[in-house]
Amino acid sequence: MIFVLLLFENTVLIMAAVLKFYGINNLTAKFSLISTERFQVELQGFDEDTVAIFKTIPSRNFSPQTRLWSFLIKDYDLLTYKLQQLRGKLKMELIPSFVLNCMKTQNHNVEIDFSKLDPVLFSTLLPFQIDGLQFGIDKNGRCLIGDDMGLGKTFQALALANYYMEDWPVLIVTTATMKTQWEETISTYLPSVSIMQVQYMITGKDYIGEAKILIVSHDMMSRCLEKIMDRNFGVIIIDESHILKSYKSKCYHSASKLAKKARRVILLSGTPALSRPSELYTQLSLLDSTFFGNFYKYSERYCDAKTTKFGWDHSGHSNLQELELILAKKFMIRRTKDQVLKSVPNKKQEVVTLNTKLNELPEEDRKCLNALGEQYMMKKGAGKHAALLTFFSETAKIKIPAICSYVLPLLDKKEKFLLFAHHQVLLNAVEDLVKRKNVKYIRIDGNTTTDQRKYFISKFQLDDSYVCAILSITAANAGITLTAAKLVLFAELHWNPSIISQAEARAHRIGQEDEVLVQYLLCPGTADDQIWPLLQEKQRTLNAVGLCRDSFESVAVKRHKSGEIKIADCLDSNDCGIKRYFSQEKKIKMDNDLFDDGLDELLSKSVLSGEHLANSNNGETENMLNDGLDDLLCDIDF
């Protein structure tokens, strides 16, 4: 170790001499937090005077592997003071004061007055849920409960709201499909509140003046903001708060106005950020609008934001360790199943590569399929998104025979399983197969009503004759429990790893008695080749900020032998021809069959058509697309 340090110091001296000889003094020291007790300095450049000052700090530590210096936080002021003498040649990017002040704040050992809680609700809480309640009280009722899916965030939110009953009435903002679950939970576990005082707002004409607990959808919150504001809600619970990730959305601006007026704000999300740190800012600002200053400062620090020819680009990430520390200290409590529920069985993940039998396709269609992949690789910006979405849509049709071949023997086993997919054409094909095999099943997609969902879930959970659950990954990834199944299949992927994790949690949650096997059915030569690496990269980012514990890096891979089902048996060739996506100019056009959740017509009328995207150089459009139109969907009530 001593030898390595000496070698490094000699290198520093040599490089410093070279830079000085050529008159180069572009020396930058980037400071960032790495733990609650230490910070690190990344020195970009070489300077013997800077290193000499580092050595005068008692808590110094140098890592030969990372070539970074670290120090105790108590020495921060001393180090920065000493480095001021080098300000002529050294540029320092310091740790913001709000970060340092946050770390200095002591967490209180809050004593919970359990007499404030409804006895029925209190008796239901598990020990880790009581810890969540204690965290929320320590944050004065303004916090983000980011526990893993299936760990009872609803119970913790109701307990926290119940604790601050003097600040009622309560506003619960949730998805339309979760409305029934909230009503049932309140009725069962909060009997001290009369069911007559719990109201679900259906239209803007509803009278809400006497509701102690008002439940609204995200869309209704935006459309009836003034009426809701007049009710003066002191406690607000926002379920699936990641829906508010876009600071441009009406939902966020409406929620922001309500949050500023309320004393207690409780956010719930098992996936606070779907793919990047910029998505966290809107939620954190609802809890404390002044902490980061503004989005510009936040994104510059944690999103590696910079000015480009298209505007302010905040799609990156930086200082993720520091951001994770701030989240845990100031805003969020997050636990995973393996941390708090030792009784929940393990989850095993596998990649299954299927044989798509592309050689059965006409030669012209094979060429077009290859061209779709090549266009995606060559395009940039918004055009790249359009190419991927078109390739993704066509992949659904190409995968049908392979998916059906894989599902066929599972139906004979009569063991319950979940199958997630995006496109109607793939969902319909699996449904037709199940019907032909005369197997009982349920299907939940965007056309399924709330009452139908409840009925289907009960049937699947309680009736052993129901074997298969055919599910839309966008319409059925949250708010339902299907623990009767121990096998989860993804016939199609989603470009956000958090959405996939949510879908997996339908089976892997409290109440599951067996190990859950999750299989991702991938087909070489299709859009899966592009989406899978994209998922891996996004998951690494979420892992770095502590918002994801899963990893696609070490998922086992196995090959599936080709079955008996052929393309000709599953598809009308007039319907699935790839060549229809290409005009004479070879321009990509969007397939209207992009989503299976009732949004097709809306999206087809949007200005975000495929041709527009393919030819657009607008950076704002690219940023709005983000991850497959997610930001657009923020303003739509599912």
Side-chain angles (χ1 to χ4, degrees), residues 150-408:
L151 292 185
K153 294 185 288 293
T154 301
F155 290 96
Q156 296 175 70
L158 284 178
L160 192 53
N162 189 204
Y163 192 84
Y164 290 110
M165 201 164 182
E166 67 273 10
D167 298 319
W168 283 29
V170 178
L171 175 68
I172 300 175
V173 184
T174 186
T175 58
T177 56
M178 287 293 290
K179 162 248 184 183
T180 303
Q181 183 171 326
W182 276 98
E183 287 180 327
E184 290 180 351
T185 304
I186 293 169
S187 174
T188 304
Y189 298 101
L190 207 59
S192 56
V193 179
S194 170
I195 192 64
M196 301 300 294
Q197 297 173 316
V198 181
Q199 182 180 346
Y200 179 69
M201 191 173 184
I202 300 175
T203 70
K205 297 180 180 180
D206 291 353
Y207 175 69
I208 62 174
E210 296 181 2
K212 278 194 173 182
I213 300 178
L214 179 67
I215 305 173
V216 301
S217 68
H218 296 86
D219 181 59
M220 184 63 67
M221 173 186 65
S222 300
R223 290 194 281 121
C224 303
L225 177 62
E226 290 186 9
K227 185 172 186 176
I228 295 173
M229 289 277 288
D230 290 341
R231 185 69 179 91
N232 294 318
F233 289 98
V235 180
I236 299 177
I237 299 173
I238 302 180
D239 195 10
E240 304 294 345
S241 60
H242 58 268
I243 291 176
L244 309 177
K245 68 175 189 174
S246 173
Y247 64 89
K248 299 177 182 179
S249 71
K250 293 179 181 178
C251 278
Y252 165 65
H253 288 290
S254 299
S256 179
K257 292 179 180 179
L258 288 166
K260 289 177 180 177
K261 198 171 183 180
R263 292 192 66 188
R264 323 293 177 186
V265 179
I266 308 159
L267 308 183
L268 307 179
S269 177
T271 55
L274 296 176
S275 61
R276 56 192 65 183
S278 61
E279 299 168 356
L280 282 170
Y281 175 78
T282 51
Q283 297 168 78
L284 303 182
S285 67
L286 294 179
L287 304 176
D288 190 337
S289 60
T290 63
F291 184 80
F292 294 103
N294 53 47
F295 179 69
Y296 174 85
K297 293 179 180 178
Y298 172 89
S299 60
E300 189 176 41
R301 183 71 183 172
Y302 304 110
C303 308
D304 193 26
K306 56 182 74 69
T307 301
T308 69
K309 62 180 179 180
F310 299 122
W312 188 245
D313 178 13
H314 50 79
S315 60
H317 53 83
S318 53
N319 299 313
L320 295 186
Q321 271 185 295
E322 182 177 291
L323 180 58
E324 181 180 6
L325 291 168
I326 292 173
L327 291 177
K329 184 77 172 180
K330 168 72 176 176
F331 296 101
M332 182 179 73
I333 184 169
R334 178 171 175 80
R335 283 78 56 89
T336 59
K337 296 186 186 76
D338 58 332
Q339 290 174 329
V340 297
L341 290 179
K342 303 301 180 182
S343 60
V344 173
N346 292 330
K347 179 177 69 175
K348 181 180 178 182
Q349 298 166 296
E350 289 181 349
V351 168
V352 180
T353 57
L354 306 180
N355 184 358
T356 51
K357 297 185 178 180
L358 296 180
N359 58 329
E360 293 184 9
L361 287 172
E363 182 180 357
E364 184 178 358
D365 283 356
R366 289 201 304 272
K367 289 181 179 179
C368 289
L369 184 65
N370 292 333
L372 281 171
E374 291 173 0
Q375 287 214 21
Y376 168 74
M377 298 303 293
M378 291 188 299
K379 291 284 186 179
K380 294 183 178 180
K384 195 176 187 72
H385 285 290
L388 179 59
L389 291 176
T390 305
F391 196 13
F392 180 52
S393 178
E394 191 59 37
T395 291
K397 300 176 179 64
I398 297 300
K399 291 179 71 171
I400 286 176
I403 296 296
C404 290
S405 292
Y406 193 81
V407 170
L408 191 59

Side-chain angles (χ1 to χ4, degrees), residues 439-450:
V439 173
K440 289 186 177 181
Y441 70 98
I442 66 169
R443 174 170 173 171
I444 299 176
D445 58 24
N447 296 318
T448 308
T449 66
T450 301

